[in-house]
Amino acid sequence: MNYKFSDKFVRLKPSAIREIFKSLGTPGSISFAAGNPNPESFPVAEMKRFADEIFENEPVAALQYGITEGYGPLRELITARLKRVYNIGAPDDDLIIVTGGQQGIELSCKVMCGEGDVVLCENPSFIGALNAFRSLGAKLAGVPLDGDGINLEALEQALKDTPRAKLLYTIPTFQNPAGITTSLEKRRAVLGLAKKYDILILEDNPYGDLRFSGKDVPTYKSMDAEGRVIYCGSFSKILSSGMRIGFLCANKALIAKTVVAKQVEDVHTNCLFQMICAKYLSECDLDAHIAGIRELYRKKAGLMLDALDRFMPREVSFTRPEGGIFLWCTLPDGVPLGEFVRRAGDKNVFVVPGTAFTADPDEPSQSFRLNYSMPTDEEIVKGIKILAEIAKDMIAKA
Ligand SMILES: Cc1ncc(COP(=O)(O)O)c(C=O)c1O
């Protein structure tokens, strides 16, 4: 059968990262490719106890259809936490529970962008979001990232050049893939540009709770006085990624439209896990749990940075994240990235090439992403040594 896929999907490639997952079965392989949280971050015993209690006491609520906006007690608990931790929540804001941040990103674009409208994004950016925008027929305009966030001159130029720009998608804190955090000054300037050119900001913040050094920077949403920011959060990196619970907080009018769009997609987010999540938030100390994850990632990031400092040739540069789960390495010009990634794979060390994260899939890259949340301490040191040997050899031959 010769299937004639829709124009939107015929161009979409499978995520390079999911593809790399398929080659990870080999014993002894070391993966810096995944974006998974460390399983130590899953509170298994509590989740089991809450699931048992729910099936004992409230089985119908867990098994029946729920409402699209989300499980009431969970919405209240998240709203309160957003206010307490991030000072987010204006009087005319509302909140919807979504099936992971991934769905929140996709729904936001779906309700705001028509075919041919443009989403501006950091370049590089999160592949799941880029593919969601592409799948909706939106056009992408990538804006380069500096060490302190999106390049402001390039952003303003893109806004001038792109009359159909509707949305700026940004991951301001511990960016995926680059591990970079946007400075407060830049956030203020970006908000000013969004106002000047009248676009919305979609602030994606799944890693914001995972700071292990430096000082918190206020979110865009907390500085938003006019309903211009859609805030997307997730429990994937702090409780469980398989649970698939995220949320959007935005002006009521935006959330009302998002509710309609979600009804079409999946009616509502999984009731049992919303109830388990609500019990966790009301009965356990999430902040203490997060403190444990931060400590784990502080150690792992430190170990990886230390190994990079010791073994990687100094022509290779890398970011020094203050939180989150990724860092971003850049090879010098003249060292072909594709060959580097292939040679690493031949030695059973897996990294994701920067080409997987570019707004324009044909744009070349000299960078690759390293994840430190999943590998063991031994794997981090051994894997970085292997990458450093390959880099040394290739630099010598370049
Ligand atoms: C930047 C970013 N946004 C959103 C997501 C989606 O997270 P989830 O759908 O699991 O909440 C991820 C997942 O890795 C991510 O890295």
Side-chain angles (χ1 to χ4, degrees):
M1 178 82 195
N2 182 20
Y3 295 106
K4 294 198 166 45
F5 293 109
S6 74
D7 292 348
K8 287 172 196 154
F9 270 83
V10 83
R11 292 187 302 264
L12 274 192
K13 295 186 199 133
S15 151
I17 303 156
R18 303 271 150 218
E19 290 302 291
I20 289 169
F21 274 179
K22 291 182 192 160
S23 34
L24 290 181
T26 336
S29 68
I30 297 175
S31 176
F32 299 137
N36 292 4
N38 191 289
E40 276 187 40
S41 65
F42 305 150
V44 180
E46 289 87 346
M47 295 265 179
K48 180 183 181 317
R49 175 160 62 83
F50 294 145
D52 289 346
E53 284 173 16
I54 290 164
F55 278 118
E56 187 64 32
N57 304 320
E58 313 166 81
V60 176
L63 298 172
Q64 187 55 279
Y65 282 121
I67 59 167
T68 306
E69 287 83 345
Y71 178 57
L74 181 60
R75 289 174 73 207
E76 282 169 24
L77 286 157
I78 295 174
T79 303
R81 181 164 202 277
L82 279 181
K83 191 80 206 164
R84 177 173 63 78
V85 178
Y86 290 106
N87 192 28
I88 285 176
D92 49 0
D93 278 345
D94 202 355
L95 184 132
I96 180 173
I97 313 281
V98 288
T99 303
Q102 176 69 34
Q103 187 184 45
I105 295 164
E106 193 257 358
L107 288 175
S108 300
C109 180
K110 196 179 245 178
V111 299
M112 291 315 304
C113 296
E115 187 92 16
D117 281 340
V118 178
V119 178
L120 301 169
C121 62
E122 290 145 354
N123 201 22
S125 185
F126 168 50
I127 180 74
L130 301 186
N131 271 344
F133 304 145
R134 290 176 180 128
S135 77
L136 294 167
K139 299 239 174 328
L140 292 174
V143 182
L145 257 185
D146 298 332
D148 61 349
I150 200 160
N151 181 287
L152 289 176
E153 289 73 37
L155 175 60
E156 176 139 31
Q157 195 57 51
L159 286 163
K160 279 187 190 152
D161 295 345
T162 323
R164 290 195 65 182
K166 270 282 189 74
L167 202 62
L168 168 66
Y169 169 70
T170 174
I171 311 153
T173 306
F174 317 135
Q175 207 252 10
N176 179 6
I180 281 169
T181 295
T182 305
S183 68
L184 179 57
E185 301 71 50
K186 273 213 169 161
R187 291 182 195 215
R188 290 199 176 115
V190 168
L191 266 177
L193 287 174
K195 188 171 180 174
K196 182 170 168 193
Y197 292 89
D198 194 22
I199 58 156
L200 291 183
I201 295 177
L202 173 54
E203 176 173 30
D204 184 18
N205 194 24
Y207 304 105
D209 287 309
L210 300 179
R211 177 174 286 282
F212 44 72
S213 71
K215 269 196 166 161
D216 282 333
V217 184
T219 59
Y220 282 110
K221 184 74 187 129
S222 67
M223 299 188 281
D224 168 32
E226 42 174 16
R228 195 173 285 287
V229 179
I230 304 170
Y231 181 87
C232 182
S234 171
F235 286 96
S236 285
K237 304 299 191 298
I238 52 175
L239 275 185
S240 154
S241 42
M243 182 166 83
R244 308 303 305 132
I245 294 192
F247 50 90
L248 290 175
C249 176
N251 180 274
K252 283 187 176 121
L254 284 172
I255 296 294
K257 275 280 179 260
T258 309
V259 169
V260 180
K262 181 167 167 72
Q263 262 157 12
V264 177
E265 268 185 22
D266 65 351
V267 185
H268 62 76
T269 297
N270 179 292
C271 291
L272 174 62
F273 271 117
Q274 288 192 74
M275 294 171 78
I276 291 176
C277 189
K279 270 186 177 282
Y280 192 92
L281 290 186
S282 57
E283 295 180 31
C284 301
D285 185 346
L286 178 61
D287 293 339
H289 177 68
I290 290 172
I293 305 172
R294 288 179 176 186
E295 190 48 27
L296 179 67
Y297 293 171
R298 189 183 64 73
K299 284 200 189 116
K300 286 192 179 289
L303 200 62
M304 186 172 270
L305 285 167
D306 185 53
L308 285 165
D309 283 334
R310 279 167 51 208
F311 306 120
M312 205 41 105
R314 57 175 203 294
E315 293 89 340
V316 178
S317 59
F318 45 90
T319 55
R320 293 185 173 271
E322 296 187 332
I325 61 175
F326 302 115
L327 62 83
W328 186 241
C329 289
T330 304
L331 297 169
D333 288 341
V335 175
L337 176 71
E339 188 187 330
F340 175 84
V341 172
R342 238 180 348 266
R343 283 182 61 176
D346 290 345
K347 298 246 175 218
N348 274 330
V349 181
F350 296 93
V351 302
V352 189
T355 41
F357 306 101
T358 45
D360 170 0
D362 298 326
E363 187 187 320
S365 171
Q366 281 302 97
S367 303
F368 57 95
R369 188 186 74 175
L370 294 178
N371 162 269
Y372 48 78
S373 58
M374 274 300 282
T376 64
D377 295 358
E378 295 70 35
E379 285 172 343
I380 288 176
V381 178
K382 188 172 167 201
I384 296 294
K385 274 187 185 164
I386 292 171
L387 294 180
E389 284 309 312
I390 298 169
K392 259 181 223 155
D393 184 57
M394 291 183 70
I395 289 168
K397 289 181 184 148

